Amino acid sequence: MRDETSDVPAPHRRSFLKYTGALGTAAAVSASLSACSSGPESTNDTGTGRGRDRTLTAVIGYGNDGSWDPTQTASAFCMAANHHIYEGLLDTDPISREPYAALATEVPKDPDGTSWTFTLRSGATFHDGRPVTADDVVFVFQRILDPDTQTLAKGFFASWLKEVRKIDARNVELVLKFPFPDGLSRLTLAKIMPKHVFSRPGAWDEAIKGKAIGSGPYRQTAHHPKSNTTFEAFDGYNGPRTPAFRTMNWLTIVDAAPRVAKISGSSAGAQIADNIPYANIGQLESGGMTVAGGAGMNNLFLMFNTARKPFDDVRVRQALHYAIDTEKMVEVALKGHGRPSSSFLDEANPSYRRAKTVYDHDPDKAKALLREAGVKGLSIEILAVNVSWIVDCLPTVKASWDAIGVKTTLSPQETTAVFTKLDQKQDYQVVAAASNPNQFGLDADLIMHYNHGPENLWMRYTRWAADPVARQLFKDMDRATREPDPARKKAIVQDYIDVVAEQAVLYPVVHNELMTAWNPARLSGIRAQPYPGINLLQAKWA
């Protein structure tokens, strides 16, 4: 969940841990957030109010104590919440990811142009009552494009966006380096924030810790790290996504059992929850809940330390992938809610093509590759995140590797611990973790740069960026970004994904569904999304 473009150095440790939420802790937020110093609100009921004024209570299976800065965050909880609090010039449908006018009055009619002009919605105001102006738009984009400021968003814009100019108080111009129609859908990743708030000294630290003031349909009313975050419909909102709930209470419950319990039974305290374990689907459905999945880029991946032998040898990396019984993993661990990876991209992606190298279960081939590489008596410790479904998959990896004579030890740890070790450049052999770049978008250029950008943190973790194959890959990726012809661009992307598949430095083992459950007697307009979190901008009381 980290990315920087080729000309941007990776952020230092403190910045990285902040924007990814990997620290797992958060300091007390600004006093401007009501109730933040008074202790957590009750998480045992659905709040006050009756009828359509009652509180919508949601359960999110991810922490709310990551960074809330929209230019930096990759936190599932915070990104989902920010989509309700903030607006981009354009935002995107949560499923199709088609752009629609949000703060801007319309989508540019010429997506292939090198200049896009946007007029801001008349009467748009921030949650503190101040009007949204072109200065606020320029302020946010200047932060994203600033070469001296390291943000996650820079990786989504710096390669194609040259500058953003103020025309007058309600009009701005985006100047592109070359035609890049995919950029329209990426504008949702540049949430417009009030300059008068976040230009003050220390304000970006407050944003990281949870301060959120936008122009969206809901305003944040309280934020309690590791407990819950509350929202209220913004009466001054005049945009396209009218809030349907007077108040919302989002609970963060990372552990599966209490998360499921919170939406189970006649006395359920919540109406919707994401990250539903596969083993609980039947139980929830029998209790009247609707449970639906979204298949996309969510995946279990393996990442190898190529600076450590024998993982510098592509044959060894390939052998370990061929050895894994992925069909068994899908059947046993994922309960059928996934597929063995046949490309870096999932099969539903518009740019998908079956890779030339597909790691179907072939233990004999795995053994032959190890022999060819001269590897005997290999012992591996898998450093893994302790996300519940990843932990369920690990025994299959161990059994598969043990079966080809590779002594395997599993070491699942808190996600915080895993990425702190990586960021501190501690030694490791293999990492098993989860990733889902679909939370940022669907276009393959974005997805591949997210994981394989030349200077991003993932490539630094693998110690692979200086390899001649990697250097050519990065050139091909840059060529694809700049290619104006859509068919040609797609072909270049598919060709370099074949290289990524063959090299298997950082590569998915399985793609799986993410499950969302909700009470259809209480809620309508819910669509399960194939990335973490929920989107309630088109939901309403049933």
Side-chain angles (χ1 to χ4, degrees), residues 265-339:
S266 58
S267 59
Q271 296 90 26
I272 184 170
D274 76 342
N275 199 16
I276 297 299
Y278 305 121
N280 296 107
I281 293 174
Q283 165 203 341
L284 292 171
E285 289 180 334
S286 65
M289 303 290 284
T290 295
V291 184
M297 269 297 295
N298 208 65
N299 67 85
L300 159 64
F301 67 85
L302 296 180
M303 179 171 65
F304 294 93
N305 179 358
T306 64
R308 179 165 177 171
K309 292 185 178 297
F311 308 110
D312 59 332
D313 192 320
V314 65
R315 295 168 295 186
V316 175
R317 301 192 297 265
Q318 289 181 342
L320 293 171
H321 271 280
Y322 278 120
I324 299 173
D325 190 344
T326 50
E327 293 288 353
K328 179 180 179 182
M329 183 181 288
V330 169
E331 178 185 357
V332 175
L334 305 182
K335 311 299 182 187
H337 294 278
R339 291 184 178 183

Side-chain angles (χ1 to χ4, degrees), residues 164-179:
V164 176
R165 301 170 177 167
K166 174 183 176 180
I167 298 174
D168 56 36
R170 285 188 55 217
N171 291 275
V172 295
E173 180 189 13
L174 273 62
V175 182
L176 282 60
K177 297 177 181 178
F178 47 83

Side-chain angles (χ1 to χ4, degrees), residues 228-262:
N228 67 311
T229 303
T230 61
F231 311 81
E232 183 177 76
F234 175 42
D235 290 336
Y237 178 73
N238 66 346
R241 295 289 186 264
T242 305
F245 310 108
R246 172 47 48 188
T247 54
M248 298 193 297
N249 184 20
W250 288 21
L251 315 178
T252 170
I253 305 180
V254 177
D255 293 339
R259 185 168 66 253
V260 172
K262 196 68 178 177

Side-chain angles (χ1 to χ4, degrees), residues 79 92-99 156 180 182-189 294-298 344-352 436-450 489-490 493 496-497 529-531:
M79 285 193 70
T92 59
D93 180 87
I95 307 301
S96 71
R97 312 310 283 269
E98 285 295 315
F156 306 137
F180 193 70
D182 286 339
L184 291 176
S185 62
R186 295 191 191 185
L187 293 181
T188 189
L189 301 172
M297 269 297 295
N298 208 65
F344 194 91
L345 301 175
D346 66 285
E347 295 182 22
N349 189 282
S351 294
Y352 168 83
N436 193 333
N438 279 166
Q439 63 183 332
F440 302 111
L442 290 178
D443 71 89
D445 179 272
L446 179 154
I447 290 169
M448 299 310 298
H449 276 86
Y450 176 71
K489 180 188 184 82
K490 182 176 180 179
V493 170
Y496 76 62
I497 287 177
Q529 61 189 35
Y531 50 95

Side-chain angles (χ1 to χ4, degrees), residues 311 320 378-382 401 406-410 429-430:
F311 308 110
L320 293 171
L378 181 60
S379 295
I380 295 178
E381 179 184 51
I382 302 177
W401 288 1
V406 175
K407 184 179 179 181
T408 308
T409 303
L410 303 177
Q429 294 174 293
V430 183

